[in-house]
Amino acid sequence: LATAAENPPATTAAITETNAASSINIVNIERALVKFMAGLLGLTVDTDIFRGAIIPGKDGCAVRLNHLDMSSDETIPAVLAQFECRDISRDIVMERTSALAEKFPVYGVNVTVADGSTITARRISVISADISTNRADNGRIKTFGFISFNVQL
């Protein structure tokens, strides 16, 4: 797992055919985002942070892709992703959500996933962040934190 400095690189490598929208493996992109964000927060994948959704009735975090975003520039595909954190402790949700949001934007992120492929994100930036309290989860009142991301591939 490697990230470039907080400043964007002066030059950008040419777009390869593997970055074309038709060849994007969204499953591996989601896996890479989970692994990357787990590393930033010191969480364990499939124990503290999950792909797609948090296990019902369990506190933790999840990362999911919402959709491909081809609206801005078709030569640089992007996905919209969301981080979610749920816990009975409002403090834990606030700390995890703010700690993660503070680490962005990042540039030149490379993550190798289980099948050996490497996913590269040119830029990951926060679109919005939100914390909501007093929401029910399996009959218990919990706090939820959300961060929406734009991920340029």
Side-chain angles (χ1 to χ4, degrees):
L1 181 63
T3 62
E6 288 290 307
N7 296 321
T11 60
T12 304
I15 299 168
T16 62
E17 192 171 352
T18 58
N19 277 347
S22 61
S23 65
I24 290 175
N25 183 329
I26 60 171
V27 171
N28 278 347
I29 293 169
E30 189 176 72
R31 286 182 179 135
L33 288 172
V34 172
K35 183 177 177 181
F36 177 66
M37 292 184 192
L40 291 177
L41 291 173
L43 301 177
T44 303
V45 175
D46 295 334
T47 301
D48 306 309
I49 187 166
F50 304 92
R51 190 178 136 235
I54 304 167
I55 295 173
K58 180 171 174 53
D59 292 339
C61 301
V63 177
R64 70 182 140 272
L65 292 187
N66 294 334
H67 69 277
L68 285 172
D69 178 16
M70 298 300 291
S71 61
S72 58
D73 184 347
E74 290 186 13
T75 63
I76 303 175
V79 294
L80 300 182
Q82 186 174 54
F83 167 85
E84 175 185 355
C85 184
R86 173 178 70 208
D87 204 285
I88 196 161
S89 168
R90 184 171 185 265
D91 291 348
I92 288 173
V93 172
M94 292 177 71
E95 288 166 359
R96 286 183 178 169
T97 304
S98 64
L100 186 60
E102 289 172 355
K103 297 183 185 307
F104 293 90
V106 294
Y107 301 88
V109 175
N110 297 298
V111 181
T112 302
V113 294
D115 71 0
S117 53
T118 299
I119 303 299
T120 300
R122 295 168 186 246
R123 181 175 196 255
I124 304 173
S125 58
V126 172
I127 298 169
S128 65
D130 179 53
I131 296 173
S132 64
T133 56
N134 299 327
R135 291 180 52 188
D137 174 52
N138 284 338
R140 298 183 70 175
I141 300 298
K142 296 195 177 176
T143 299
F144 290 72
F146 302 94
I147 304 173
S148 295
F149 293 95
N150 181 285
V151 182
Q152 289 182 341
L153 303 171

